[in-house]
Structures are given as C-alpha cells and as structure tokens.
Amino acid sequence: MTQSPLQPTLGELVATITTQLSNLVKGEVDLLKAQVAEKGQKFGIGAGLFAGAAFFGFFAFATLVATAVLALALVLPAWAAALIVAVVLLLIAGLLALIGKKSIDAGNEVKPEIKDNLKTDVDVIKDGIKEGLGK
C-alpha cells in the first residue's frame, strides 16, 4: 500500500500529537500559575487592609468594653460587672471562631477545573488517535 504525499505517516502523526499534548499541558500549567498568582495578590492586599482595620478596631472595642464595665459598675460591684462583660465576650469569641472555621474549610475546597480540563483533553486526543488509526 503506497501512501499519498498529502497524508502524514504514523510517525508524523505521533510526533504531532506528542507536541500538541505537551503544549496543551504547558498551557494548563501556565493557566494554573496565573490563577494562583492573581489569587495570592488579592489575598495579600486584603489581608493587609484587614490587619489595619483589626488594629484600630481592637482599640475601639477595648474602649467600648471598658465603658460597659464602668456602666455595669454603677449598679453592681465592679468585679461582677467585669465578670459579666468577660463572659459575654468569651461567648462572642467562641461563636466567631466557629463561623471562621467553617469559612476557612469552605475556602480550602480545591476546584477540579484544571484536572477535568486535562482529562477531557487526553480523552479527545485518544479519540483522535483511534480515528486516525482506524482509517
């Protein structure tokens, strides 16, 4: 069986597929790197702003706590007022910790997009090889 000059040989097909698969994988890896870099940059800026807000918020909150203790001390002994405020603050801290843990757990979920994309690409290539060999 003679091969037409317009049809590539099996070796040429395999070389082309190998090159295309390599380029495809490199492209997916570059996409992943770009996504991680973008998320890291946004996270860094957000974390810095959040730290600044937390710094000033801490002092404002401490002043409000002192105000609450002083207000309760008008009706109760000072130690009882401080104890009540401390218990309320501990309850709020526990609730915030639980909500924060749920939020962090939700953020750790990995999106399988790239894995699925690579699997789809490999399946398409396999189908192309089967079609090419079947002719």
Side-chain angles (χ1 to χ4, degrees), residues 15-86:
T16 302
I17 290 172
T18 303
T19 303
Q20 289 177 351
L21 181 61
S22 175
N23 291 338
L24 188 61
V25 170
K26 286 178 186 176
E28 292 290 343
V29 169
D30 290 342
L31 176 63
L32 176 63
K33 286 180 183 178
Q35 289 174 345
V36 168
E38 181 182 354
K39 286 182 182 182
Q41 182 181 15
K42 288 181 181 179
F43 178 77
I45 291 171
L49 292 172
F50 182 72
F55 178 76
F56 288 104
F58 171 76
F59 288 109
F61 185 70
T63 304
L64 289 175
V65 169
T67 303
V69 171
L70 292 173
L72 275 176
L74 294 174
V75 223
L76 298 170
W79 68 267
L83 181 63
I84 290 171
V85 171

Side-chain angles (χ1 to χ4, degrees), residues 28 110-122:
E28 292 290 343
V110 176
K111 292 184 180 180
E113 293 174 0
I114 293 180
K115 179 182 174 186
D116 290 343
N117 289 347
L118 285 175
K119 184 177 179 191
T120 303
D121 295 341
V122 169

Side-chain angles (χ1 to χ4, degrees), residues 89-105:
L89 291 174
L90 286 173
L91 290 174
I92 292 171
L95 180 64
L96 291 176
L98 287 175
I99 294 170
K101 183 181 181 325
K102 286 183 182 179
S103 177
I104 288 173
D105 290 344

